[in-house]
Structures are given as C-alpha cells and as structure tokens.
C-alpha cells in the first residue's frame, strides 16, 4: 500500500489560511488522494478527495502537484473549530474493494 | 439523514472478559467497516463488509476478535477474551457503494478500557 508523509503538527492563527502538506512519492496512477480530519473525541470526517485536478468544496481546497507526488490541503480561513488531526490518505484497492489506510496525521492547532 | 450509530460509547472490562460492540450504519449503505484506534495513532482497519459478506479481514486478530453483519445492516464486533492491548477506540464506518469514489461516514466510536 502506498504511504503518505505528513508533518506531525502545525499551528495557525484564527482567520488565517492554512496549508497542510502531504508527500506521497509512491502513488500509483489509480490512487485517489483523500483527506479526513478528526476532531477531539469524535470519529474522522471526510474533508475532500481528488485524483489529478485541484478540487474545491465548502470545507477546503485540495491542490495536487502535477506529478501527483505531493498534495496540499488548504483551509482558507482557519477557525477554532478546525483544530483537529488531519489525515492524508491514498485510497487503494484490496481484492477489488477499496479501503483507507490511515497514518498518524498532522495535528493542527488554531490560536485565537 | 441520521449518522452512523454505535453503542455503547464507553466500556470498562477486566482482561480475559468478553465484550461486544454494536453498529448501525447509515440506511442504504452497502459497505461497513470496523476500525481500531489506539491512543495517538490513526485508525487501523480491522474488517470490511460488503452487504453481509466479508471482503477484507486481513488485520483482524481472529483468535480473539469476531464480527458479523447479519442481513447486511447492523453489525457487531466481539472480543473474547480481551487483553490489555485491546484498550482503544473502536470506530464503525459505512459507505454507500463499493466501486464508487465516495466518502466513508464514521460513528462516534466506543472507547474500551481493559484493566
């Protein structure tokens, strides 16, 4: 299974943009890039996913490098509620059924 | 739309005892997952069901863990007997359909403490 590398932790100030990096140099051509986040004492929640092109939704933007070996999750204006662990995951197949393999993620702290 | 429901939310048992967790996925979701999350780590997939069939249980410690999904809806995960290292949060997730690129929805988890 292809792996991702993320910084252990990052900090941001409220209302500022946050760029969360992820390296995935062994990504295969069919791997989707997924981002989930986990708020304290909750289950993970989906943020965004993409394959080759940059993606935007109401929560965040996903910028994917042209060679797909890295990606960046962008929170345009961080709020205190965005303090969470962010997981960058390559969605791979197992026996024809896809699964997510979580790493340790990046713990984002947001300061008032 | 109701989310993924799990019960109990917390459970404390002594080692060598048995415990069971219950999960009710989002209505209509064909795929169901059980994850184990040890403190400070990301979730680890234990087992994946497609309807009521198992499609991946490669990470499930089958000597003590078992899971079933009768009628392709609710699921139970059992540990018998429990060990100290089983202390973790057990997360259930569901997804609408296999073969589509859609997201998993997670429940709040059951926090298990084995003494």
């Amino acid at each position: 299974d292809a792996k991702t590398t993320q910084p252990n932790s990052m900090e941001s100030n409220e209302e500022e943009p946050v760029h969360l990096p992820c390296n995935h140099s062994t990504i295969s051509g069919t791997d989707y890039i997924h981002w989930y986040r986990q708020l304290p004492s909750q289950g993970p929640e989906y943020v965004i996913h993409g394959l080759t092109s940059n993606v935007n939704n109401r929560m965040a933007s996903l910028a994917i490098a042209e060679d797909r070996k890295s990606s960046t999750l962008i929170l345009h204006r961080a709020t205190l509620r965005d303090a969470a662990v962010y997981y960058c995951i390559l969605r791979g197949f197992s026996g024809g059924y896809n699964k997510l393999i979580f790493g340790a993620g990046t713990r984002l702290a947001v300061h008032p | 739309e109701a989310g993924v429901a799990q019960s109990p939310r917390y459970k404390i048992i002594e080692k060598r005892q048995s415990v069971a967790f219950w999960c009710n996925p989002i209505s209509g979701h064909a795929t169901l997952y059980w994850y184990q999350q040890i403190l400070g780590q990301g979730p680890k997939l234990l087992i994946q069901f497609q309807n009521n069939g198992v499609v991946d249980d490669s990470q499930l410690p089958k000597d003590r863990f078992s899971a079933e999904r009768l009628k392709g809806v609710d699921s139970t995960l059992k540990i018998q007997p429990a060990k100290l290292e089983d202390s973790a949060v057990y997360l259930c997730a569901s997804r609408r359909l296999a073969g589509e690129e859609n997201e998993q929805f997670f429940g709040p988890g059951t926090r298990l403490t084995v003494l």
Side-chain angles (χ1 to χ4, degrees), chain A residues 32 34 36 38 41-46 49 87 91 93-104 107, chain B residues 9 33 35 37 40-43 45 48 50 55-56 58 91 95 98-104 106-108:
Chain A
Y32 279 80
H34 284 247
Y36 281 73
Q38 188 169 22
S41 300
Q42 295 187 24
E45 65 174 347
Y46 167 82
H49 77 271
Y87 298 99
R91 196 276 293 146
F93 278 101
S94 169
Y97 294 91
N98 69 48
K99 65 179 181 180
L100 302 176
I101 299 176
F102 288 79
R107 183 173 298 276
Chain B
R9 291 296 313 276
Y33 308 82
Y35 291 85
Q37 186 171 26
Q41 300 180 17
L45 179 67
Q48 176 182 345
Q50 176 68 19
V55 297
D56 187 351
S58 58
L91 295 160
R95 196 164 66 88
E100 291 185 2
E101 200 58 36
N102 46 44
E103 68 262 37
Q104 293 185 20
F106 285 79

Short mmCIF file of all heavy atoms in Angstrom, two decimals, chain A residues 32 34 36 38 41-46 49 87 91 93-104 107, chain B residues 9 33 35 37 40-43 45 48 50 55-56 58 91 95 98-104 106-108:
data_model
loop_
_atom_site.label_atom_id
_atom_site.label_comp_id
_atom_site.label_asym_id
_atom_site.label_seq_id
_atom_site.Cartn_x
_atom_site.Cartn_y
_atom_site.Cartn_z
N TYR A 32 -6.56 7.49 -5.55
CA TYR A 32 -7.16 8.77 -5.20
C TYR A 32 -6.52 9.29 -3.92
O TYR A 32 -6.10 8.51 -3.06
CB TYR A 32 -8.66 8.62 -4.97
CG TYR A 32 -9.49 8.60 -6.23
CD1 TYR A 32 -9.59 7.44 -7.00
CD2 TYR A 32 -10.17 9.72 -6.66
CE1 TYR A 32 -10.34 7.43 -8.16
CE2 TYR A 32 -10.93 9.73 -7.81
CZ TYR A 32 -11.01 8.57 -8.56
OH TYR A 32 -11.76 8.56 -9.71
N HIS A 34 -7.27 11.21 -0.55
CA HIS A 34 -8.37 11.58 0.34
C HIS A 34 -7.82 12.32 1.54
O HIS A 34 -6.75 11.99 2.05
CB HIS A 34 -9.11 10.33 0.83
CG HIS A 34 -10.01 9.71 -0.17
ND1 HIS A 34 -11.38 9.69 -0.03
CD2 HIS A 34 -9.75 9.09 -1.34
CE1 HIS A 34 -11.92 9.08 -1.06
NE2 HIS A 34 -10.96 8.69 -1.87
N TYR A 36 -9.17 13.34 5.45
CA TYR A 36 -10.15 13.26 6.53
C TYR A 36 -9.59 14.05 7.70
O TYR A 36 -8.38 14.27 7.81
CB TYR A 36 -10.37 11.81 6.98
CG TYR A 36 -11.28 11.01 6.06
CD1 TYR A 36 -10.84 10.59 4.81
CD2 TYR A 36 -12.58 10.69 6.45
CE1 TYR A 36 -11.68 9.88 3.97
CE2 TYR A 36 -13.42 9.97 5.62
CZ TYR A 36 -12.96 9.56 4.38
OH TYR A 36 -13.80 8.85 3.55
N GLN A 38 -10.12 14.58 12.15
CA GLN A 38 -10.72 14.02 13.36
C GLN A 38 -10.65 15.06 14.47
O GLN A 38 -9.56 15.38 14.96
CB GLN A 38 -9.99 12.74 13.78
CG GLN A 38 -10.68 11.99 14.90
CD GLN A 38 -10.09 10.60 15.11
OE1 GLN A 38 -8.95 10.32 14.73
NE2 GLN A 38 -10.86 9.71 15.72
N SER A 41 -12.30 13.62 20.38
CA SER A 41 -13.35 12.73 20.89
C SER A 41 -14.44 12.43 19.86
O SER A 41 -15.57 12.11 20.23
CB SER A 41 -14.00 13.31 22.16
OG SER A 41 -13.01 13.48 23.16
N GLN A 42 -14.12 12.55 18.57
CA GLN A 42 -15.07 12.23 17.53
C GLN A 42 -14.44 11.26 16.53
O GLN A 42 -13.23 11.09 16.48
CB GLN A 42 -15.53 13.49 16.80
CG GLN A 42 -16.31 14.47 17.66
CD GLN A 42 -16.88 15.61 16.85
OE1 GLN A 42 -17.10 15.49 15.64
NE2 GLN A 42 -17.13 16.73 17.50
N GLY A 43 -15.29 10.64 15.72
CA GLY A 43 -14.78 9.83 14.63
C GLY A 43 -14.29 10.74 13.51
O GLY A 43 -14.65 11.90 13.42
N PRO A 44 -13.44 10.20 12.63
CA PRO A 44 -12.98 11.01 11.49
C PRO A 44 -14.14 11.47 10.62
O PRO A 44 -15.18 10.80 10.55
CB PRO A 44 -12.07 10.03 10.72
CG PRO A 44 -11.64 9.03 11.73
CD PRO A 44 -12.81 8.87 12.64
N GLU A 45 -13.95 12.60 9.96
CA GLU A 45 -14.93 13.06 9.00
C GLU A 45 -14.24 13.41 7.68
O GLU A 45 -13.10 13.88 7.65
CB GLU A 45 -15.72 14.27 9.53
CG GLU A 45 -14.91 15.52 9.74
CD GLU A 45 -15.77 16.72 10.13
OE1 GLU A 45 -17.01 16.68 10.00
OE2 GLU A 45 -15.17 17.74 10.56
N TYR A 46 -14.94 13.14 6.61
CA TYR A 46 -14.42 13.38 5.27
C TYR A 46 -14.25 14.87 5.04
O TYR A 46 -15.08 15.67 5.46
CB TYR A 46 -15.41 12.79 4.26
CG TYR A 46 -15.19 13.21 2.83
CD1 TYR A 46 -14.24 12.56 2.04
CD2 TYR A 46 -15.95 14.22 2.28
CE1 TYR A 46 -14.06 12.93 0.73
CE2 TYR A 46 -15.77 14.60 0.96
CZ TYR A 46 -14.83 13.96 0.18
OH TYR A 46 -14.64 14.32 -1.12
N HIS A 49 -11.52 14.92 -1.60
CA HIS A 49 -10.67 13.97 -2.30
C HIS A 49 -10.48 14.41 -3.74
O HIS A 49 -11.27 15.20 -4.28
CB HIS A 49 -11.23 12.54 -2.23
CG HIS A 49 -12.39 12.28 -3.16
ND1 HIS A 49 -13.70 12.50 -2.78
CD2 HIS A 49 -12.43 11.80 -4.43
CE1 HIS A 49 -14.51 12.15 -3.76
NE2 HIS A 49 -13.77 11.74 -4.78
N TYR A 87 -5.74 13.83 8.25
CA TYR A 87 -5.13 12.65 7.65
C TYR A 87 -5.15 12.75 6.13
O TYR A 87 -6.21 12.99 5.54
CB TYR A 87 -5.90 11.38 8.05
CG TYR A 87 -5.91 11.07 9.53
CD1 TYR A 87 -7.01 11.41 10.32
CD2 TYR A 87 -4.84 10.42 10.13
CE1 TYR A 87 -7.04 11.11 11.67
CE2 TYR A 87 -4.86 10.12 11.48
CZ TYR A 87 -5.96 10.47 12.24
OH TYR A 87 -5.98 10.16 13.57
N ARG A 91 -6.19 6.20 -1.37
CA ARG A 91 -7.23 5.19 -1.40
C ARG A 91 -6.82 4.10 -2.37
O ARG A 91 -6.73 4.30 -3.56
CB ARG A 91 -8.55 5.81 -1.82
CG ARG A 91 -9.76 4.94 -1.51
CD ARG A 91 -10.01 3.92 -2.57
NE ARG A 91 -10.41 4.55 -3.82
CZ ARG A 91 -10.08 4.07 -5.01
NH1 ARG A 91 -9.35 2.98 -5.12
NH2 ARG A 91 -10.48 4.68 -6.10
N PHE A 93 -6.89 -0.28 -3.49
CA PHE A 93 -7.80 -1.41 -3.60
C PHE A 93 -7.29 -2.62 -2.83
O PHE A 93 -6.11 -2.83 -2.70
CB PHE A 93 -7.97 -1.83 -5.06
CG PHE A 93 -8.96 -1.01 -5.80
CD1 PHE A 93 -8.55 0.00 -6.64
CD2 PHE A 93 -10.32 -1.24 -5.65
CE1 PHE A 93 -9.47 0.77 -7.33
CE2 PHE A 93 -11.25 -0.47 -6.33
CZ PHE A 93 -10.82 0.54 -7.17
N SER A 94 -8.21 -3.37 -2.30
CA SER A 94 -7.87 -4.63 -1.66
C SER A 94 -8.85 -5.66 -2.17
O SER A 94 -10.02 -5.65 -1.78
CB SER A 94 -7.95 -4.51 -0.14
OG SER A 94 -7.86 -5.78 0.47
N GLY A 95 -8.39 -6.51 -3.03
CA GLY A 95 -9.28 -7.54 -3.55
C GLY A 95 -10.44 -6.97 -4.32
O GLY A 95 -11.51 -7.56 -4.38
N GLY A 96 -10.27 -5.80 -4.93
CA GLY A 96 -11.34 -5.21 -5.70
C GLY A 96 -12.20 -4.25 -4.92
O GLY A 96 -13.04 -3.57 -5.49
N TYR A 97 -12.03 -4.18 -3.60
CA TYR A 97 -12.81 -3.26 -2.77
C TYR A 97 -11.85 -2.26 -2.15
O TYR A 97 -10.84 -2.63 -1.59
CB TYR A 97 -13.54 -4.03 -1.66
CG TYR A 97 -14.58 -4.95 -2.21
CD1 TYR A 97 -14.28 -6.27 -2.52
CD2 TYR A 97 -15.88 -4.51 -2.43
CE1 TYR A 97 -15.24 -7.11 -3.03
CE2 TYR A 97 -16.85 -5.35 -2.93
CZ TYR A 97 -16.52 -6.65 -3.24
OH TYR A 97 -17.48 -7.49 -3.73
N ASN A 98 -12.19 -0.99 -2.27
CA ASN A 98 -11.22 0.00 -1.82
C ASN A 98 -11.24 0.15 -0.32
O ASN A 98 -12.21 -0.17 0.35
CB ASN A 98 -11.42 1.34 -2.53
CG ASN A 98 -12.69 2.05 -2.14
OD1 ASN A 98 -12.98 2.19 -0.96
ND2 ASN A 98 -13.45 2.51 -3.11
N LYS A 99 -10.12 0.59 0.22
CA LYS A 99 -10.01 0.82 1.65
C LYS A 99 -9.11 2.01 1.90
O LYS A 99 -8.35 2.44 1.04
CB LYS A 99 -9.46 -0.41 2.37
CG LYS A 99 -8.03 -0.78 2.00
CD LYS A 99 -7.60 -2.00 2.79
CE LYS A 99 -6.17 -2.40 2.46
NZ LYS A 99 -5.75 -3.59 3.24
N LEU A 100 -9.22 2.58 3.09
CA LEU A 100 -8.40 3.70 3.52
C LEU A 100 -7.40 3.21 4.55
O LEU A 100 -7.77 2.50 5.47
CB LEU A 100 -9.27 4.80 4.13
CG LEU A 100 -10.38 5.39 3.26
CD1 LEU A 100 -11.21 6.38 4.06
CD2 LEU A 100 -9.79 6.04 2.02
N ILE A 101 -6.14 3.59 4.38
CA ILE A 101 -5.11 3.27 5.37
C ILE A 101 -4.64 4.58 5.97
O ILE A 101 -4.02 5.40 5.29
CB ILE A 101 -3.94 2.51 4.73
CG1 ILE A 101 -4.46 1.19 4.15
CG2 ILE A 101 -2.84 2.25 5.75
CD1 ILE A 101 -3.42 0.40 3.41
N PHE A 102 -4.96 4.75 7.25
CA PHE A 102 -4.63 5.99 7.95
C PHE A 102 -3.22 5.96 8.48
O PHE A 102 -2.76 4.94 9.00
CB PHE A 102 -5.59 6.20 9.14
CG PHE A 102 -7.00 6.57 8.77
CD1 PHE A 102 -7.90 5.61 8.34
CD2 PHE A 102 -7.44 7.88 8.87
CE1 PHE A 102 -9.20 5.95 8.00
CE2 PHE A 102 -8.74 8.24 8.54
CZ PHE A 102 -9.62 7.27 8.11
N GLY A 103 -2.52 7.08 8.38
CA GLY A 103 -1.25 7.26 9.07
C GLY A 103 -1.50 7.99 10.37
O GLY A 103 -2.62 7.97 10.90
N ALA A 104 -0.46 8.66 10.88
CA ALA A 104 -0.58 9.38 12.15
C ALA A 104 -1.19 10.76 11.97
O ALA A 104 -1.69 11.34 12.94
CB ALA A 104 0.78 9.50 12.83
N ARG A 107 -1.45 17.13 13.42
CA ARG A 107 -2.28 17.77 14.43
C ARG A 107 -2.21 19.28 14.24
O ARG A 107 -1.14 19.88 14.37
CB ARG A 107 -1.81 17.39 15.84
CG ARG A 107 -2.69 17.98 16.95
CD ARG A 107 -2.30 17.44 18.31
NE ARG A 107 -2.47 16.00 18.38
CZ ARG A 107 -3.62 15.39 18.65
NH1 ARG A 107 -4.70 16.11 18.90
NH2 ARG A 107 -3.69 14.07 18.71
N ARG B 9 -21.00 3.79 24.21
CA ARG B 9 -19.97 4.80 23.94
C ARG B 9 -18.70 4.52 24.75
O ARG B 9 -17.59 4.83 24.32
CB ARG B 9 -20.49 6.19 24.28
CG ARG B 9 -21.57 6.70 23.35
CD ARG B 9 -21.05 6.88 21.91
NE ARG B 9 -19.79 7.58 21.84
CZ ARG B 9 -19.67 8.90 21.85
NH1 ARG B 9 -20.75 9.67 21.92
NH2 ARG B 9 -18.47 9.47 21.79
N TYR B 33 -17.39 -0.84 7.82
CA TYR B 33 -16.01 -1.04 8.28
C TYR B 33 -15.95 -0.97 9.81
O TYR B 33 -16.67 -0.18 10.43
CB TYR B 33 -15.10 0.07 7.75
CG TYR B 33 -15.14 0.33 6.26
CD1 TYR B 33 -16.15 1.13 5.71
CD2 TYR B 33 -14.15 -0.15 5.42
CE1 TYR B 33 -16.18 1.41 4.36
CE2 TYR B 33 -14.17 0.13 4.06
CZ TYR B 33 -15.19 0.91 3.54
OH TYR B 33 -15.20 1.19 2.19
N TYR B 35 -12.89 -0.21 12.62
CA TYR B 35 -11.51 0.24 12.82
C TYR B 35 -11.17 0.19 14.30
O TYR B 35 -12.04 0.36 15.17
CB TYR B 35 -11.33 1.69 12.37
CG TYR B 35 -11.42 1.95 10.89
CD1 TYR B 35 -12.65 2.15 10.27
CD2 TYR B 35 -10.27 2.05 10.11
CE1 TYR B 35 -12.73 2.41 8.92
CE2 TYR B 35 -10.34 2.33 8.75
CZ TYR B 35 -11.58 2.50 8.17
OH TYR B 35 -11.66 2.78 6.82
N GLN B 37 -8.63 2.24 16.92
CA GLN B 37 -7.76 3.40 17.05
C GLN B 37 -7.14 3.45 18.43
O GLN B 37 -7.82 3.75 19.42
CB GLN B 37 -8.50 4.70 16.76
CG GLN B 37 -7.57 5.92 16.75
CD GLN B 37 -8.24 7.18 16.24
OE1 GLN B 37 -9.46 7.33 16.34
NE2 GLN B 37 -7.45 8.09 15.69
N GLY B 40 -3.23 8.11 20.15
CA GLY B 40 -2.09 8.72 19.49
C GLY B 40 -1.81 8.20 18.08
O GLY B 40 -0.88 8.67 17.42
N GLN B 41 -2.61 7.24 17.63
CA GLN B 41 -2.41 6.67 16.30
C GLN B 41 -3.63 6.92 15.42
O GLN B 41 -4.72 7.25 15.92
CB GLN B 41 -2.15 5.16 16.40
CG GLN B 41 -0.91 4.80 17.21
CD GLN B 41 -0.71 3.30 17.28
OE1 GLN B 41 -1.27 2.53 16.51
NE2 GLN B 41 0.12 2.87 18.22
N GLY B 42 -3.45 6.72 14.12
CA GLY B 42 -4.59 6.78 13.23
C GLY B 42 -5.39 5.49 13.29
O GLY B 42 -4.90 4.47 13.78
N PRO B 43 -6.64 5.52 12.83
CA PRO B 43 -7.45 4.30 12.84
C PRO B 43 -6.84 3.20 11.97
O PRO B 43 -6.27 3.48 10.91
CB PRO B 43 -8.79 4.76 12.25
CG PRO B 43 -8.81 6.24 12.45
CD PRO B 43 -7.38 6.67 12.33
N LEU B 45 -7.82 -0.38 10.05
CA LEU B 45 -8.94 -1.19 9.59
C LEU B 45 -8.83 -2.60 10.13
O LEU B 45 -7.81 -3.26 9.99
CB LEU B 45 -8.97 -1.23 8.06
CG LEU B 45 -10.09 -2.06 7.44
CD1 LEU B 45 -11.45 -1.44 7.71
CD2 LEU B 45 -9.87 -2.23 5.94
N GLN B 48 -13.85 -5.35 6.83
CA GLN B 48 -14.72 -4.64 5.89
C GLN B 48 -15.77 -5.60 5.36
O GLN B 48 -15.44 -6.71 4.93
CB GLN B 48 -13.89 -4.06 4.74
CG GLN B 48 -14.69 -3.38 3.65
CD GLN B 48 -13.83 -2.86 2.52
OE1 GLN B 48 -12.60 -2.76 2.64
NE2 GLN B 48 -14.43 -2.51 1.40
N GLN B 50 -19.09 -6.06 2.69
CA GLN B 50 -19.88 -5.59 1.56
C GLN B 50 -21.21 -6.32 1.67
O GLN B 50 -21.26 -7.54 1.51
CB GLN B 50 -19.18 -5.89 0.23
CG GLN B 50 -19.98 -5.51 -0.98
CD GLN B 50 -20.14 -4.02 -1.15
OE1 GLN B 50 -19.40 -3.23 -0.57
NE2 GLN B 50 -21.11 -3.61 -1.95
N VAL B 55 -15.16 -8.83 3.00
CA VAL B 55 -14.29 -8.67 1.84
C VAL B 55 -12.84 -8.43 2.24
O VAL B 55 -11.94 -8.56 1.41
CB VAL B 55 -14.78 -7.55 0.90
CG1 VAL B 55 -16.14 -7.90 0.34
CG2 VAL B 55 -14.82 -6.20 1.61
N ASP B 56 -12.60 -8.06 3.50
CA ASP B 56 -11.23 -7.86 3.98
C ASP B 56 -11.21 -8.00 5.49
O ASP B 56 -11.82 -7.19 6.18
CB ASP B 56 -10.70 -6.48 3.57
CG ASP B 56 -9.22 -6.29 3.91
OD1 ASP B 56 -8.63 -7.14 4.61
OD2 ASP B 56 -8.64 -5.28 3.47
N SER B 58 -8.03 -9.05 6.87
CA SER B 58 -6.62 -9.40 6.99
C SER B 58 -5.96 -8.87 8.27
O SER B 58 -4.97 -9.42 8.73
CB SER B 58 -5.85 -8.89 5.76
OG SER B 58 -6.00 -7.49 5.63
N LEU B 91 -14.09 2.15 16.06
CA LEU B 91 -14.88 3.01 15.18
C LEU B 91 -15.58 2.17 14.12
O LEU B 91 -14.98 1.26 13.55
CB LEU B 91 -13.98 4.02 14.48
CG LEU B 91 -13.27 5.05 15.37
CD1 LEU B 91 -12.07 5.64 14.66
CD2 LEU B 91 -14.26 6.15 15.75
N ARG B 95 -20.24 3.19 4.00
CA ARG B 95 -20.10 3.89 2.72
C ARG B 95 -21.19 3.39 1.81
O ARG B 95 -21.59 2.22 1.88
CB ARG B 95 -18.73 3.59 2.13
CG ARG B 95 -18.28 4.51 1.02
CD ARG B 95 -16.79 4.37 0.81
NE ARG B 95 -16.47 3.04 0.30
CZ ARG B 95 -16.45 2.73 -0.99
NH1 ARG B 95 -16.74 3.64 -1.89
NH2 ARG B 95 -16.14 1.52 -1.37
N ALA B 98 -19.62 0.21 -2.95
CA ALA B 98 -18.27 -0.09 -3.42
C ALA B 98 -18.23 0.22 -4.90
O ALA B 98 -19.25 0.22 -5.59
CB ALA B 98 -17.96 -1.57 -3.18
N GLY B 99 -17.03 0.47 -5.39
CA GLY B 99 -16.90 0.75 -6.82
C GLY B 99 -17.10 2.19 -7.17
O GLY B 99 -16.86 2.60 -8.30
N GLU B 100 -17.58 3.00 -6.19
CA GLU B 100 -17.70 4.44 -6.42
C GLU B 100 -16.71 5.17 -5.54
O GLU B 100 -16.37 4.70 -4.46
CB GLU B 100 -19.11 4.92 -6.10
CG GLU B 100 -20.17 4.44 -7.05
CD GLU B 100 -21.52 5.05 -6.73
OE1 GLU B 100 -21.62 5.86 -5.79
OE2 GLU B 100 -22.49 4.71 -7.42
N GLU B 101 -16.28 6.32 -5.98
CA GLU B 101 -15.33 7.11 -5.21
C GLU B 101 -16.10 8.03 -4.28
O GLU B 101 -16.30 9.20 -4.57
CB GLU B 101 -14.40 7.90 -6.13
CG GLU B 101 -13.14 8.34 -5.44
CD GLU B 101 -12.34 7.18 -4.89
OE1 GLU B 101 -12.33 6.11 -5.53
OE2 GLU B 101 -11.73 7.32 -3.82
N ASN B 102 -16.57 7.49 -3.19
CA ASN B 102 -17.32 8.30 -2.23
C ASN B 102 -16.74 8.14 -0.84
O ASN B 102 -15.87 7.30 -0.61
CB ASN B 102 -18.81 7.93 -2.25
CG ASN B 102 -19.02 6.44 -2.21
OD1 ASN B 102 -18.37 5.74 -1.44
ND2 ASN B 102 -19.91 5.94 -3.04
N GLU B 103 -17.24 8.95 0.05
CA GLU B 103 -16.59 9.01 1.35
C GLU B 103 -17.16 8.00 2.33
O GLU B 103 -18.28 7.52 2.18
CB GLU B 103 -16.72 10.42 1.95
CG GLU B 103 -18.14 10.81 2.35
CD GLU B 103 -18.80 11.64 1.28
OE1 GLU B 103 -18.58 11.39 0.08
OE2 GLU B 103 -19.57 12.56 1.66
N GLN B 104 -16.37 7.74 3.35
CA GLN B 104 -16.82 6.94 4.48
C GLN B 104 -17.37 7.89 5.55
O GLN B 104 -16.83 8.96 5.78
CB GLN B 104 -15.66 6.14 5.08
CG GLN B 104 -15.13 5.05 4.15
CD GLN B 104 -14.07 4.20 4.81
OE1 GLN B 104 -13.97 4.13 6.04
NE2 GLN B 104 -13.27 3.51 4.01
N PHE B 106 -18.18 8.05 9.56
CA PHE B 106 -17.77 7.39 10.79
C PHE B 106 -18.75 7.67 11.93
O PHE B 106 -19.32 8.75 12.02
CB PHE B 106 -16.39 7.88 11.24
CG PHE B 106 -15.26 7.32 10.43
CD1 PHE B 106 -14.95 7.83 9.18
CD2 PHE B 106 -14.51 6.25 10.91
CE1 PHE B 106 -13.91 7.30 8.43
CE2 PHE B 106 -13.47 5.72 10.18
CZ PHE B 106 -13.16 6.25 8.93
N GLY B 107 -18.91 6.67 12.79
CA GLY B 107 -19.64 6.87 14.02
C GLY B 107 -18.75 7.49 15.08
O GLY B 107 -17.56 7.72 14.84
N PRO B 108 -19.31 7.74 16.27
CA PRO B 108 -18.55 8.40 17.34
C PRO B 108 -17.54 7.49 18.02
O PRO B 108 -16.64 7.97 18.71
CB PRO B 108 -19.62 8.85 18.31
CG PRO B 108 -20.72 7.87 18.11
CD PRO B 108 -20.70 7.51 16.65
#
